[in-house]
Amino acid sequence: ARASANPLEADAGESALSLDAAVGTLVHRCLELIARDGLARWSCERVMTLVPAYRRRLVQDGHDNAAAAEGAAVVAAALCRTLDSSAGRWVLAGREGAAAEQAWSSRLVEDGATLTVNHVIDRIFVADGCRWIIDYKTARLPEAELAQRAESHRPQLARYAGLFADDPLPLRLAIYFPLQGRLIELPD
């Protein structure tokens, strides 16, 4: 597996996303910026000044003004909740080997053909002697359903873990829910 560049430019076809998907994409991009800039440069106050830009982005993605305003409010809520939560700040803190929204490629042999498979890991870093692989999910769920939703994403995280099969560090896999400010680790 190898890391590759992951530009911030809009992906082709992004304008066709549902509002929830567009909000999730925007939250991912903002969390990437926060992780790269450093937590000291971000606050809920700063996020709130950017709500008009979030709304404009959602309009550019093809959503009407009312939906874009609603979506921008959700983006701001997710980012503020993240910045105000100990779990969110822990996930975004600067660390050894840290990366955000990093693209990886691997090769897979299927039916005699070699295929290239692309993966984008939302957050990866080393902490306390373990490599953490974290995926973000902007699901609007009650607290009681978060663990079950996190578990439903185990196959995705297992694919990411496979990229580090030769890594001597233990792997820890988790889902971070920005709207709830909760990190759910997947047990072995």
Side-chain angles (χ1 to χ4, degrees), residues 7-187:
L8 286 175
E9 289 84 31
D11 299 320
E14 195 170 291
S15 62
L17 294 175
S18 72
L19 181 60
D20 284 345
V23 164
T25 298
L26 189 50
V27 168
H28 276 69
R29 291 188 188 286
C30 292
L31 292 175
E32 176 183 10
L33 290 173
I34 293 169
R36 288 187 179 178
D37 287 352
L39 286 166
R41 296 188 61 197
W42 285 87
S43 65
C44 189
E45 291 78 18
R46 180 178 179 190
V47 166
M48 296 311 290
T49 67
L50 295 170
V51 168
Y54 303 151
R55 186 192 56 72
R56 282 191 303 275
R57 175 55 194 251
L58 294 170
V59 167
Q60 290 172 350
D61 285 347
H63 302 286
D64 65 38
N65 284 327
E70 175 190 334
V74 173
V75 170
L79 298 176
C80 286
R81 181 69 179 190
T82 295
L83 291 168
D84 290 341
S85 74
S86 59
R89 295 184 71 76
W90 186 83
V91 166
L92 296 176
R95 291 195 174 75
E96 176 189 345
E101 298 296 327
Q102 190 170 51
W104 293 78
S105 296
S106 63
R107 299 215 187 274
L108 170 69
V109 177
E110 188 173 286
D111 297 329
T114 302
L115 307 170
T116 299
V117 180
N118 297 314
H119 317 269
V120 178
I121 299 176
D122 294 341
R123 189 73 171 138
I124 186 168
F125 54 82
V126 175
D128 302 321
C130 296
R131 181 171 311 280
W132 283 82
I133 298 174
I134 299 172
D135 198 64
Y136 306 143
K137 299 298 179 193
T138 54
R140 299 181 209 196
L141 295 171
E143 179 77 24
E145 295 179 24
L146 294 179
Q148 181 179 358
R149 177 62 65 90
E151 185 60 39
S152 75
H153 295 288
R154 183 180 291 278
Q156 175 188 2
L157 288 169
R159 283 192 310 276
Y160 298 163
L163 297 169
F164 299 90
D166 296 330
D167 189 339
L169 292 175
L171 288 175
R172 296 180 75 178
L173 309 176
I175 301 290
Y176 177 69
F177 294 96
L179 284 166
Q180 296 82 2
R182 292 267 290 131
L183 181 69
I184 306 290
E185 184 176 359
L186 297 178

